[in-house]
């Protein structure tokens, strides 16, 4: 029987980091060099393709695993039709709820009023509800989750606990986003890297990593995609968040992630 040694597991993770960051940063670096807004030609091509770095990294790891006939990592949640998938919809609703709750708390604390007008304008700009949903699903959830959660997360669990794995993955995820601050037209560029909003955006990645990690444990990559999609879509519909709303979003998601991780501990979790 073929066993997957710690060296092979680590090399698979190293390959994922190398491919993911090289692919994304090379393309987003090209977008920065072109200098135009993110969604205008020719900048739009490297900008959009750059977001697929994590899934390209996942493909590279799987191709090498196939050539070496390595075993699937112990903590991998298989993608199959099962009762696990019943968790997808509740987790999607929960993800949306964290953003809506944060927006309402921010309003109660004297922040901006809860308003979906910017969301309606955004939907109209992209051509309707269907194109909006497709763009939000592909740009982020589908392009990233097979890599971050489907590939890196179970490998990190081989050598550390789930909280440590989530936070380490969150740190890598935050660093991966950095070039977006220098591409005109992105929400990160609007916030600014050296600003309170930019700092809060970077911090917000950590509870997101914990929430999507929990979702992956419950129902695999599909659930992680659902949580990522729910949060991103809710934030987009509410417009560029104020620092107050960002802070409440972080607080709500930290609380929710802490409760969920405390209540559910998979038998295979380290």
């Amino acid at each position: 029987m073929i066993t997957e040694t710690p060296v092979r597991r680590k090399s698979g993770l190293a390959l994922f980091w190398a491919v993911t960051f090289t692919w994304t940063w090379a393309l987003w670096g090209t977008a920065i060099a072109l200098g135009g807004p993110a969604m205008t030609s020719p900048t739009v091509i490297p900008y959009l393709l750059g977001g697929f770095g994590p899934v390209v990294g996942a493909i590279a790891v799987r191709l090498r695993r196939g050539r070496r006939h390595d075993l699937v990592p112990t903590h991998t949640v298989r993608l199959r039709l099962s009762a696990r998938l019943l968790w997808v919809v509740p987790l999607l609703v929960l993800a949306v709820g964290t953003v809506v709750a944060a927006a309402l708390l921010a309003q109660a604390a004297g922040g901006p009023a809860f308003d979906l007008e910017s969301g309606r304008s955004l939907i109209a700009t992209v051509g309707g509800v269907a194109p909006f949903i497709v763009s939000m699903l592909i740009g982020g959830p589908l392009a990233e989750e097979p890599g971050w959660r489907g590939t890196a997360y179970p490998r990190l669990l081989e050598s550390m606990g789930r909280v440590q794995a989530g936070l380490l993955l969150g740190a890598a995820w935050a660093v991966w986003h950095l070039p977006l601050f220098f591409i005109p037209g992105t929400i990160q560029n609007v916030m600014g890297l050296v600003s309170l909003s930019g700092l809060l955006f970077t911090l917000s990645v950590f509870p997101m990593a914990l929430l999507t990690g929990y979702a992956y444990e419950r129902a695999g990559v599909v659930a992680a995609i659902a949580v990522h999609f729910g949060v991103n879509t809710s934030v987009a519909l509410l417009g560029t968040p104020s620092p107050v709303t960002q802070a409440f979003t972080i607080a709500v998601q930290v609380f929710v992630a802490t409760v969920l991780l405390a209540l559910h501990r998979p038998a295979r979790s380290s």
Side-chain angles (χ1 to χ4, degrees):
M1 181 178 68
I2 300 171
T3 59
E4 188 180 25
T5 66
V7 172
R8 284 189 173 184
R9 287 197 295 268
K10 289 179 181 178
S11 64
L13 195 52
L15 176 63
F16 172 75
W17 298 133
V19 172
T20 296
F21 277 85
T22 299
W23 175 280
T24 295
W25 282 16
L27 285 164
W28 284 350
T30 301
I32 293 170
L34 290 172
M39 295 306 294
T40 61
S41 182
T43 307
V44 65
I45 297 175
Y47 166 66
L48 293 178
L49 289 177
F52 287 86
V55 80
V56 173
I59 292 171
V61 171
R62 280 159 177 72
L63 288 175
R64 189 167 75 171
R65 192 183 72 204
R67 289 197 305 269
R68 293 184 173 189
H69 303 290
D70 291 336
L71 294 178
V72 174
T74 306
H75 298 274
T76 297
V77 178
R78 307 288 185 122
L79 181 60
R80 59 176 63 149
L81 292 177
S82 69
R84 282 178 176 271
L85 292 180
L86 295 176
W87 281 96
V88 172
V89 173
L91 287 169
L92 172 62
V93 173
L94 179 65
V96 173
T98 63
V99 178
V100 173
L104 292 174
L105 287 171
Q107 177 179 324
F114 187 93
D115 183 17
L116 292 175
E117 187 56 42
S118 60
R120 296 190 188 96
S121 299
L122 176 60
I123 291 173
T125 299
V126 299
V129 174
F132 171 73
I133 291 176
V134 171
S135 65
M136 294 304 299
L137 186 60
I138 295 175
L142 284 175
E144 298 179 31
E145 290 308 321
W148 298 131
R149 254 54 63 178
T151 302
Y153 188 63
R155 286 168 171 77
L156 289 171
L157 289 177
E158 297 292 340
S159 59
M160 63 185 69
R162 56 215 289 248
V163 174
Q164 295 96 317
L167 293 177
L168 178 58
L169 195 51
W173 203 9
V175 173
W176 179 80
H177 278 97
L178 286 179
L180 293 177
F181 285 96
F182 304 97
I183 301 177
T186 65
I187 187 172
Q188 292 84 2
N189 184 260
V190 172
M191 291 178 180
L193 178 59
V194 186
S195 69
L196 179 57
S197 289
L199 173 62
L200 290 171
F201 170 82
T202 299
L203 292 177
S204 72
V205 175
F206 290 90
M208 269 290 289
L210 294 175
L211 285 174
T212 47
Y214 169 84
Y216 176 79
E217 293 172 1
R218 277 296 191 181
V221 173
V222 175
I225 288 172
V227 169
H228 195 156
F229 170 78
V231 171
N232 281 11
T233 302
S234 302
V235 171
L237 289 175
L238 291 175
T240 303
S242 69
V244 175
T245 306
Q246 286 178 289
F248 272 105
T249 302
I250 293 171
V252 169
Q253 291 184 345
V254 166
F255 173 77
V256 171
T258 300
V259 172
L260 292 177
L261 291 171
L263 292 177
H264 173 70
R265 185 175 296 276
R268 293 178 301 170
S269 180
S270 58

